[in-house]
Amino acid sequence: MIRVLEQVTGGVIKRFLDSKGVPKNCPLCSQDEMSISIFDPEGEQAGTGKAPAVRVIHELPDGTHRGYGEFLRVCLNCGYIHYIRDTEVLAFMDEGGDNEL
Ligand SMILES: [Zn+2]
């Protein structure tokens, strides 16, 4: 299941990762910058940071789901996928860390 939270944008994920000191490059192949997965069906918001981030929710066989979802970024060179638990990102937003300067 994929859900989109309008307020969690690609830009928020980027600022979250920056604030935590996570390098932009791929940890496997060292490609310069991994791509944050965003919901942008019209392809109009690439690079703006304003498109909502894709959040993956894992549904369990009984119809419930895990207590957290995951944002992700992908290496466009080697395909490595880095999942980022939503709990920490939402806490970051609650603390006001997502405010643009
Ligand atoms: Zn890579």
Side-chain angles (χ1 to χ4, degrees):
M1 186 193 328
I2 292 177
R3 279 193 197 157
V4 170
L5 296 174
E6 290 294 333
Q7 72 274 26
V8 184
T9 61
V12 168
I13 303 297
K14 186 172 185 301
R15 286 192 290 280
F16 169 79
L17 295 171
D18 285 348
S19 81
K20 302 298 182 183
V22 177
K24 291 181 175 60
N25 62 316
C26 175
L28 294 189
C29 74
S30 299
Q31 173 87 352
D32 281 349
E33 188 159 2
M34 295 181 72
S35 176
I36 294 167
S37 294
I38 53 172
F39 183 74
D40 184 21
E42 306 295 327
E44 293 172 333
Q45 301 189 82
T48 67
K50 291 180 177 162
V54 168
R55 184 168 72 144
V56 176
I57 307 279
H58 295 271
E59 191 168 302
L60 304 176
D62 66 357
T64 62
H65 57 80
R66 271 192 210 154
Y68 61 91
E70 293 152 0
F71 299 107
L72 56 147
R73 59 179 191 156
V74 182
C75 174
L76 299 180
N77 182 46
C78 76
Y80 173 73
I81 299 175
H82 170 205
Y83 289 101
I84 303 144
R85 190 168 68 162
D86 60 0
T87 311
E88 283 71 18
V89 175
L90 298 173
F92 172 73
M93 292 177 75
D94 280 349
E95 293 157 8
D98 63 313
N99 290 333
E100 290 187 66
L101 298 175

